[in-house]
Amino acid sequence: MAQVSDLGIDLGTSNVLIYMKGKGIVLNEPAVVAIERQSKHVLAVGTDAYRMIGRTPGNVLAVRPLRQGASSDFELTNTMLRYFVGHVIGKRFFARPRVVMSVPTGVNDAEKHNLVRIMLDAGAKHTHLLERPIAAAIGVGLPFQEAYGTMIVDMSAGVTDIAVLSMGEVVSASCVAIGGDHFDDAIIRYLRKKHNLLIGERTAEQIKINVGSAVPPISDVGTDVTGRNLLSGLPKTQTIMKSEIYEALKDPVADLVDAIQAVIERTPPQLASDIFDEGIVLTGGAAALSGLSEAIYRALRVPCGVADDPQNCIALGCGKVLEDLSHHKHLLNDGHRRFF
C-alpha cells in the first residue's frame, strides 16, 4: 500500500496552509471557491478562484466558504478541502492520512464535528483538532506548558483568538470578530465616505499592505488608488495618504485593544503579572499590519511583539504536533473528548 505522510492543516478564513510530516509546509492557497451562480458548479479553487474576486461576470461567484473560523458552507468547504488534500497527497486514494487541524477557541462542538466530517470526506483517516492559540504557541516555541502565564493573540482574516496559556491549558480566552477582513472593510468605508471612491476587497487589502498603519505615521506618504467615482460612476484615481488609512483603521485597532484588555482583566493576578513581565506575542497574517504591536503597547503598557513568521505559526504548530503525536496527545481534542 502506498505510504502517505500525515498532514497538519491551518484552515483559515483567507488561506489554507498544509504541513506534511517530514516535509514542512507544502501548500499555501487562498480559501476561495469560484462557482457558477445558478448551477453551483465549481469552476476554480484556491489561487485560480482568488484571481476572479471582483472580476467575475454576473453568473460567476467567487466566495470564501469559511467565515470567522467555521464553515459557512459545508459543501463548498468539503469541495475545497478535497481539492487541497488531493493536490498534496496525489492519487493515493487508499493512503488516508491522519490530520491535525487548528480550530478557533470560539468554535462549538457541532462546528467541530462538521469539520471532522468534512475531513473524513476529504480523505483523512482521522482528524485531531488543536485550538489555534495552542497551535500558534507551539509554532512560535513559547514555553506555555510551564507554570507561567503566556499570552498569544492570533489574528486571521475573520477572527482573532486571544488567549492566556499556562500548564498547557487555555486559562482565559476570547475569540472576537476582528481581523484582516475588518481592517479592509474599514478602509473601504472610509474611502467611500471621504472620497466617494468605491474600491474592492483586493484593492483595500493592497492599500493596507502598502500604507496601512496602526499608529500615526512619521512620514505621510501616499499611494494612488483607482476605483469607481460614486457620483459620476466613472473610474477615478485618487492619491490616498498614509495618515488617512491610519484614521480609517483607528476604530478596529481600538476594538482589538479593548478585547485584549478584557482577557487580561479576566486572568488570575499572578498570570497577569507574568504577562506584564514577558509581554504579548502576535501571530497570524493580520498581525503584519504596520505598527500594530506598538499600538497595543501604547494603549496597555504591556510589551508586545510579532512572531518571526506570523502567517505560518499555526501550520508549523500543527506540524510539530504531527512530528510527535504521543508527546502532544494531551493537547488534542475532537470536540467531545480528549484523544488517546
Side-chain angles (χ1 to χ4, degrees):
M1 184 179 293
Q3 290 294 111
V4 63
S5 294
D6 296 332
L7 305 176
I9 299 180
D10 174 11
L11 189 62
T13 304
S14 62
N15 283 75
V16 174
L17 283 77
I18 298 182
Y19 179 107
M20 180 176 282
K21 186 176 181 180
K23 293 185 178 180
I25 296 175
V26 294
L27 181 139
N28 183 350
E29 293 256 3
V32 181
V33 180
I35 59 173
E36 202 281 326
R37 191 181 295 269
Q38 297 299 324
S39 67
K40 306 299 182 183
H41 174 68
V42 175
L43 304 175
V45 178
T47 300
D48 291 338
Y50 178 76
R51 294 193 186 105
M52 297 181 182
I53 293 178
R55 294 193 173 102
T56 59
N59 65 322
V60 176
L61 194 61
V63 297
R64 290 177 176 175
L66 298 163
R67 281 284 179 257
Q68 298 184 6
S71 173
S72 61
D73 189 310
F74 184 91
E75 293 301 325
L76 286 185
T77 303
N78 192 323
T79 298
M80 181 178 71
L81 283 174
R82 286 177 65 89
Y83 176 85
F84 290 148
V85 171
H87 180 76
V88 168
I89 68 175
K91 296 183 179 181
R92 294 170 289 184
F93 298 115
F94 297 102
R96 297 170 69 87
R98 290 181 299 177
V99 170
V100 171
M101 175 184 286
S102 66
V103 292
T105 54
V107 171
N108 61 40
D109 285 351
E111 291 166 331
K112 290 178 182 179
H113 181 66
N114 281 340
L115 289 175
V116 171
R117 284 179 54 207
I118 288 171
M119 286 311 306
L120 182 64
D121 290 343
K125 179 181 179 181
H126 195 96
T127 300
H128 306 284
L129 302 180
L130 184 64
E131 289 181 291
R132 289 184 69 89
I134 292 178
I138 295 172
V140 174
L142 296 179
F144 73 98
Q145 301 204 58
E146 299 177 4
Y148 196 83
T150 300
M151 188 169 202
I152 196 148
V153 177
D154 179 67
M155 302 184 64
S156 67
V159 296
T160 291
D161 271 292
I162 306 164
V164 175
L165 310 175
S166 181
M167 298 291 291
E169 297 283 344
V170 176
V171 177
S172 180
S174 179
C175 184
V176 294
I178 303 169
D181 287 348
H182 301 84
F183 293 156
D184 297 343
D185 290 343
I187 292 171
I188 291 171
R189 290 194 303 270
Y190 181 89
L191 296 186
R192 184 171 57 208
K193 182 177 180 180
K194 182 170 182 180
H195 296 288
N196 290 311
L197 185 68
L198 182 62
I199 61 170
E201 295 175 10
R202 293 182 62 180
T203 301
E205 182 180 22
Q206 202 57 51
I207 294 170
K208 178 182 65 182
I209 294 169
N210 291 343
V211 295
S213 179
V215 293
I218 297 173
S219 58
D220 199 12
V221 298
T223 185
D224 288 340
V225 176
T226 300
R228 188 171 79 237
N229 188 317
L230 288 171
L231 300 179
S232 68
L234 299 175
K236 173 185 177 182
T237 298
Q238 177 81 38
T239 299
I240 304 299
M241 305 306 293
K242 194 169 186 175
S243 58
E244 293 183 282
I245 303 306
Y246 160 69
E247 289 294 328
L249 295 175
K250 280 176 65 175
D251 286 347
V253 169
D255 291 341
L256 174 65
V257 169
D258 289 345
I260 295 172
Q261 181 174 346
V263 172
I264 294 175
E265 289 173 351
R266 295 197 304 270
T267 300
Q270 188 57 56
L271 296 181
S273 176
D274 295 339
I275 293 164
F276 274 85
D277 288 340
E278 295 299 320
I280 300 166
V281 177
L282 302 181
T283 64
L289 176 66
S290 176
L292 184 57
S293 60
E294 184 181 350
I296 293 170
Y297 171 74
R298 289 183 182 185
L300 301 179
R301 293 299 166 184
V302 180
C304 186
V306 182
D308 291 337
D309 191 4
Q311 187 178 30
N312 294 333
C313 286
I314 299 290
L316 292 173
C318 291
K320 288 181 180 179
V321 171
L322 273 177
E323 300 292 348
D324 192 353
L325 268 175
S326 61
H327 178 70
H328 296 97
K329 61 184 180 182
H330 61 290
L331 302 175
L332 300 170
N333 187 278
D334 67 354
H336 304 287
R337 58 180 174 78
R338 293 289 181 184
F339 279 112
F340 305 101

